[in-house]
């Protein structure tokens, strides 16, 4: 996803759709993505990833209007 790479830069190694479900009655779609972060230059800390995740989630809501769980 371009949005993840915009936020995380080179730390975003891979973004994959892991699961997708559409509720048969409501038609609401649910998607689960796996994001792998990696750096060859330094150790990436939990704090680094948490900060990136907060910014990615915020952009997803503001740009796509998604509901996050």
């Amino acid at each position: 996803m371009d949005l993840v790479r915009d936020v995380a830069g080179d730390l975003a190694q891979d973004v994959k759709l892991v699961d997708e479900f559409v509720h048969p009655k409501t038609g609401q779609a649910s998607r689960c993505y796996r994001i792998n972060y990696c750096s060859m230059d330094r150790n990436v800390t939990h704090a680094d990833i948490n900060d990136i995740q907060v910014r990615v989630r915020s952009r997803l809501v503001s740009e796509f209007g998604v509901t996050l769980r």
Side-chain angles (χ1 to χ4, degrees):
M1 251 176 123
D2 291 335
L3 182 141
V4 175
R5 288 198 171 82
D6 286 347
V7 173
D10 291 337
L11 291 180
Q13 183 179 32
D14 191 32
V15 179
K16 287 186 182 176
L17 178 63
V18 177
D19 189 31
E20 187 171 16
F21 172 76
V22 177
H23 192 281
K25 291 183 181 178
T26 65
Q28 184 175 3
S30 178
R31 294 178 186 92
C32 176
Y33 290 89
R34 177 177 294 129
I35 305 170
N36 291 321
Y37 299 101
C38 182
S39 175
M40 300 303 231
D41 301 337
R42 63 185 179 92
N43 289 331
V44 183
T45 67
H46 289 284
D48 294 333
I49 301 307
N50 289 341
D51 178 56
I52 292 168
Q53 286 293 101
V54 166
R55 290 185 288 138
V56 166
R57 292 171 61 90
S58 177
R59 291 238 345 238
L60 285 169
V61 170
S62 67
E63 292 184 25
F64 297 106
V66 300
T67 301
L68 300 173
R69 300 188 299 156

